Amino acid sequence: MIKIPSFNFKIINIFITSAETRKKELAILQAIGMTNKQLFKMLLYEGFYYICISSIGTMIIKALLNIIPNTLYYFIYVYPLNSLLLLTILLIFLCTITTMLIYKTSQKNLLVKI
């Protein structure tokens, strides 16, 4: 359980870094007609995309770990499904909150010299 908070901070860092490096791109999209609602949805869907990729990765790891006990008789692994579900819910919440914060800060910096 100790690794969960550090993982969440890494996800938040990925969201913020992605938005910061694409600040100019987001401003251009708004300049050519992207509405604020569309920008928010785009940022939110990107966050959910990251969560889906990480969830698929853990499912692949679970599938691989189901193969290992058949080959190693001394290998015992319990997959924490409840913790994974809790972590996914927490990540969706953090994704939404972080997207709102990124959206609010991007609205302050609408005009960017291109």
Side-chain angles (χ1 to χ4, degrees), residues 27-96:
I28 291 171
L29 287 171
Q30 284 191 319
I32 62 173
M34 179 179 252
T35 65
N36 292 337
K37 187 176 179 180
Q38 289 172 335
L39 177 66
F40 181 74
K41 278 186 178 181
M42 183 186 77
L43 292 172
L44 195 62
Y45 288 149
E46 286 177 4
F48 290 143
Y49 173 75
Y50 289 133
I51 293 169
C52 287
I53 293 296
S54 66
S55 296
I56 290 170
T58 56
M59 287 181 213
I60 291 171
I61 290 172
K62 175 152 175 45
L64 291 175
L65 289 173
N66 285 336
I67 296 169
I68 291 174
N70 295 333
T71 58
L72 301 173
Y73 65 90
Y74 55 86
F75 185 79
I76 298 172
Y77 181 77
V78 178
Y79 197 73
L81 196 57
N82 294 337
S83 298
L84 181 65
L85 183 62
L86 179 67
L87 178 64
T88 304
I89 292 169
L90 181 65
L91 283 176
I92 290 171
F93 176 73
L94 284 175
C95 171
T96 307

